[in-house]
Every structure is written in C-alpha cells, then in structure tokens.
Amino acid sequence: MELDLVVRGGTVVTAAEAVRADVGVKDGRIVALGERLDGARRTLDAGGLLVLPGGVDTHCHIEQLEADGTVHEESFVTASVSAFAGGTTTAICFASQFKGHPIGPTLDEYRRRARAALMDYSFHQIITDPTDQVVEHELPAIVAAGIRSFKVFLTYDPLHVDDAQYLRVLAAARRLGAFVTVHCENYQAIRFMTEALLARGMTAPKYHAWSRPPVVEREATHRAIALAELVDQPIQVFHVSCAEAAEEIARAQARGVRVWGETCPQYLTLTAGHMDRPGFEGAKFMCSPAPREAAEHERVWAMVRRGVLDVISSDHCGYSYEGGAGKARNGRDANFRDIPNGIPGLAARLPIVFSEGVSKGRIDVTEFVALTATNPARLFGLAPRKGTIAVGSDADLALWDPGKRVTITNALMRHAIDYTPYEGLEVTGWPVATIRRGEVVMQDGRVQAEEKSGRFLPRGPYALTRGRGVFANGFDPVG
Ligand code: URP
Ligand code: ZN
Ligand code: ZN
C-alpha cells in the first residue's frame, strides 16, 4: 500500500507513552506506526521533534450568536487558522439558545456559519430555557443530530438557569444519553456583590474579581454536583479557577460521583492583579470565573496532577479590545458589570500548558497529551477518532519542538482579536507543523487549508454519559 504521508523519526507521544516511531498516513487516517516506514508520496522529517495528537479544545466560543444580536468577532475561519497555528485540530463550540425562543432556528444559523471552518468541530448546545417544548421535542432531535453535550450557566444575565431548570436539563440529558457541562458561579451572590460594589463607586475592571470571589464558585460547584448526583447524570464542571472549587469535585469523585473538572491556561498564568492595570486595560483579562491570586496557580496545578481536573481547555472567547462588539462595546468607562467576560486563548493553550507544565517539570509529556487531547476527546465522545495517535485514528498531529523558546505576541496567535492576554509571556515548546486528517495545514507558522474543509463531528452514544445507578432512597426520579 502506498502511503500518502510518513512522519519520520519523531518521538510519538500518547497519553500512555512516548516512543520513537514513524507515523504512516493513508486517506486521512493513521494506518501504520513503526520503524522505518517508507513508500510514501510525502515524507515529513520529525527528527528531534515530539509527534503529538492534534490538540482537542472542548471549550471554544467561536462566532457565537448572542441574544442582543451581536456575534463574537472570531469567525470559524479565523478561529481555525488560530487553532492550527497553535497545534489544535479539533474544537467544540457553543450553539446558543435565547430565552423565550426555540433552539432550532439559532442552531440552523450556527451550523450554516460553522461550515466555513477549516478545523474539525462539534457543538455543545447551550440551554437557557428548558421549556416542555425544548425538553420533549427539540433536545431529542439535537442529540439525534450528534450534538451530545449541553452547557448550562448557573450565572450570567441573560443565560442563567435556576435550580429547577438545571434539574430539568439534567433529567433530559439522562433520558437522552447526553453529557452536561456547567458554569458554576452563584447568580444571586454575584448580583448582591455587584450592587454593593457599584453603590460604592467601585466600578473599575478589577472589581470584577471582587464581585465573584472563590466562595461564589465553590458554592455553585457544590450545588451543581449535588443536583447531578441526585439525578445520576454525569457532568463536567467548566473552567475551575481555584482549589476551593476543585475540592468539591475531588470529594464527589471520592464518593464515586461521575463528575469531571476542567481548568484553563488563564487560571495557571493570570491573576486578579492583571485586571488592576491602568484605565480600561484590565478588561483584557476579564473572564469568569475571575483569575485569582498568584499562589492559586500552584494549587490548581496540584489538582491537575491529582487528576481531579483532567482537561485543560482554552475557553477561547472572541471579544476584541477595541472592536464594536468587544470589551469596549459599552464605552471605555463602562463599569465592570457591563464589560463582556471572556478572553482569547485558542492558539496560546498548548504552548502555555506545555511550557508551564512540561518544560517547568510540573507534568510529563504523556500527561500533557492526556490533558489537552486524549481526555477531552474521551469525555465528549470523540475518541478514538480524535485525541490520540493510533492505527485507525484520524491523522491529526502536532509536530512539536520542545526546546523552542518563543515570546507570545498577538501576531503569533493568528486570531481575529486585537490582543492576547498572554502578550509577552515566554514559553518553551512550540508547534512547528500541524496536520489535520493527513493534510499539512500549518508549517513554520504558515497556515494553508481550504475554507469549508473542516468536518462536523457528530457524536453518538458513549459510556461516559451514563450514570452509575445510585439513587437517594433507591428512587430514580427520571426512570
Ligand atoms: O468569561 C468567560 N468564561 N466567558 C465565556 C463564557 C463562559 O462562561 O464560558
Ligand atoms: Zn462558562
Ligand atoms: Zn466558556
């Protein structure tokens, strides 16, 4: 069999091991792993490089539609370029629901936009309004179409759901065999704190962190897990920022509850102090949960090493600093409540996690692969097609120079956003080529791929969406 591509002489890394091997590719898939593979139409020399699975980023807000009619400024095209520049080949993005409206038309529009993608992609369906019609008719159709995960927000106007609505979503997911992801912060507590701060004239970006301290995240994390436990529905707690919240996950995991935790590079590198920069500059670092104090980084890493937090996603958010739909949409003197939350990080994710993790000796390279590709692919039903290097898997690879030192600049991020919160951060380890389904889509920073060449990844039933069959008093409220 003539191979389309051989990646020769690199160290192939999976979540299990790092071994010297060539990778043989045919028709977009990995068909051989071994020594001295030849007979290929194209050979890429990976001598001295790590051959990693292409990154799988399961938390990306791309071209997301918002209830006020605005759209995130990052398109599926620009986000794909950014993903490839940073070694990522697959993303899961967010289809919106606007309260008081059905999901269908918004989802159709989002699907239409996503077809422009260069990277492979799937969707989480945001649920803000789980009416009877949504639960009984729309969600079954959405799951049947391969969108097998939902996101609920326990805070944010106009997105948040109350406990009753959250329970409805959990029950619907149980019935449908879908997975649930949760934004855990207490809506009423943040409102209360925000009103108190604004009443005292404390309006600057830095007060964003004051309005939502760790206790607000810890409480909601505890509640989200407890209610999921009641329904016996597996969940992932999104963007865990601090050990306090992660402890809630650890305690539940120790009880056998099917709960997983995600963190993001911002909670390993940024601090509340970044939001205290002069003028409006602090808005560049505003995301929710808020970045904490510097000492928290090491505590979050400890939770990563324990396996309590087993996915590191970007939570990439396409808000520019200057643009009309971005941070300054309500003016540069807007109070912190009126500045959109979220920061870009799609291209920066892998270099930051590699550098802060592997290069600084906090994790080894197999753990890096698990956190950034294998675990997210498994958790969201994309494995073994995505997230690993194995015969039969898609040939999605990042060729990685572990010694390359780079200072992060916005230009290197290749996104549509006019800033990166990681400007000036020095990293060791950088992707020198990205391969998507056997096609070299990035080499030495040059991205080359056709628009619309990305594929939607429908996700069928998989084991991790199933509960464990444990109920209070033996009573199953859903069955
Ligand atoms: O601040 C953030 N994280 N914005 C994006 C939306 C979300 O909560 O994930
Ligand atoms: Zn969130
Ligand atoms: Zn998010």
Side-chain angles (χ1 to χ4, degrees):
M1 171 174 56
E2 190 194 31
L3 298 171
D4 298 329
L5 173 71
V6 164
V7 178
R8 172 157 300 149
T11 299
V12 172
V13 188
T14 64
E17 59 190 357
V19 290
R20 291 296 292 272
D22 298 346
V23 182
V25 176
K26 178 89 184 160
D27 297 331
R29 300 231 167 162
I30 297 168
V31 293
L33 290 166
E35 287 180 16
R36 284 185 285 281
L37 298 180
D38 48 25
R41 286 197 282 116
R42 181 172 182 188
T43 299
L44 268 187
D45 179 12
L49 301 177
L50 302 174
V51 181
L52 310 175
V56 177
D57 194 339
T58 47
H59 189 158
C60 295
H61 302 272
I62 293 169
E63 212 167 327
Q64 192 170 307
L65 310 174
E66 296 195 27
D68 63 6
T70 54
V71 180
H72 283 210
E73 289 157 292
E74 187 84 277
S75 74
F76 276 93
V77 174
T78 58
S80 297
V81 170
S82 186
F84 291 162
T88 287
T89 46
T90 300
I92 307 187
C93 318
F94 294 86
S96 308
Q97 181 194 11
F98 307 138
K99 270 193 206 295
H101 294 271
I103 293 172
T106 315
L107 178 56
D108 289 346
E109 169 61 10
Y110 198 58
R111 276 198 181 108
R112 189 189 64 74
R113 289 169 180 260
R115 279 188 208 111
L118 289 61
M119 62 184 166
D120 289 351
Y121 61 93
S122 195
F123 301 142
H124 301 296
Q125 178 62 56
I126 292 173
I127 303 176
T128 59
D129 200 1
T131 60
D132 289 350
Q133 172 66 16
V134 166
V135 166
E136 286 159 25
H137 300 286
E138 293 211 279
L139 295 185
I142 287 167
V143 171
I147 301 171
R148 201 162 274 274
S149 46
F150 306 146
K151 177 173 185 184
V152 289
F153 293 86
L154 301 187
T155 191
Y156 282 143
D157 278 318
L159 300 172
H160 87 283
V161 293
D162 63 22
D163 288 354
Q165 292 171 315
Y166 174 48
L167 283 162
R168 291 204 93 195
V169 173
L170 291 168
R174 251 275 314 277
R175 279 188 214 100
L176 295 168
F179 198 82
V180 176
T181 64
V182 194
H183 180 122
C184 294
E185 291 185 290
N186 183 306
Y187 174 65
Q188 294 295 353
I190 293 170
R191 278 187 71 171
F192 172 79
M193 293 296 283
T194 300
E195 280 163 19
L197 288 160
L198 296 183
R200 286 165 180 75
M202 299 160 93
T203 60
K206 76 169 182 179
Y207 295 113
H208 172 70
W210 291 40
S211 72
R212 46 185 70 223
V215 60
V216 164
E217 185 182 350
R218 165 162 55 83
E219 185 282 333
T221 304
H222 177 85
R223 183 160 36 97
I225 296 170
L227 299 185
E229 191 174 354
L230 191 72
V231 176
D232 194 25
Q233 168 59 40
I235 62 168
Q236 187 196 44
V237 178
F238 263 169
H239 41 47
V240 176
S241 73
C242 58
E244 263 184 58
E247 283 295 354
E248 297 293 338
I249 299 171
R251 264 194 288 278
Q253 288 172 339
R255 289 197 301 279
V257 176
R258 287 165 75 74
V259 53
W260 288 265
E262 170 209 75
T263 191
C264 313
Q266 46 270 43
Y267 305 117
L268 303 168
T269 52
L270 302 181
T271 68
H274 283 91
M275 284 177 279
D276 197 13
R277 296 219 174 147
F280 192 61
E281 192 74 6
K284 289 182 175 174
F285 308 93
M286 275 181 66
C287 56
S288 292
R292 309 298 181 190
E293 58 181 60
E296 201 62 38
H297 299 158
E298 226 41 75
R299 295 186 201 119
V300 175
W301 271 118
M303 288 297 183
V304 169
R305 278 196 300 271
R306 279 171 60 183
V308 174
L309 307 175
D310 71 344
V311 169
I312 306 183
S313 308
S314 67
D315 195 3
H316 178 84
C317 225
Y319 294 122
S320 65
Y321 183 55
E322 303 279 3
K327 297 284 186 184
R329 67 163 73 152
N330 294 312
R332 282 167 151 269
D333 54 357
N335 72 58
F336 68 85
R337 186 178 52 188
D338 296 334
I339 301 171
N341 292 189
I343 58 178
L346 189 43
R349 179 183 71 124
L350 294 181
I352 290 176
V353 179
F354 189 91
S355 185
E356 291 295 313
V358 181
S359 305
K360 294 193 176 171
R362 292 181 171 110
I363 54 174
D364 70 30
V365 71
T366 62
E367 291 170 307
F368 169 78
V369 165
L371 289 160
T372 57
T374 314
N375 294 346
R378 276 193 194 135
L379 197 59
F380 291 102
L382 293 169
R385 178 170 174 191
K386 301 293 187 186
T388 193
I389 299 177
V391 170
S393 296
D394 280 358
D396 294 342
L397 305 170
L399 306 195
W400 199 272
D401 182 345
K404 186 164 176 176
R405 298 176 68 139
V406 174
T407 302
I408 291 183
T409 62
N410 195 45
L412 287 172
M413 300 295 97
R414 307 293 303 278
H415 52 207
I417 311 304
D418 55 0
Y419 82 99
T420 169
Y422 306 110
E423 187 78 37
L425 185 71
E426 291 180 7
V427 293
T428 303
W430 194 259
V432 295
T434 305
I435 297 166
R436 184 220 52 200
R437 282 182 275 106
E439 191 182 336
V440 181
V441 291
M442 187 279 284
Q443 202 162 12
D444 298 324
R446 282 186 312 280
V447 173
Q448 254 186 332
E450 293 287 316
E451 283 187 27
K452 300 188 179 171
S453 59
R455 287 192 186 151
F456 173 66
L457 301 166
R459 293 176 284 134
Y462 62 104
L464 293 181
T465 62
R466 285 200 283 277
R468 60 193 173 130
V470 175
F471 301 100
N473 304 311
F475 171 67
D476 179 356
V478 175

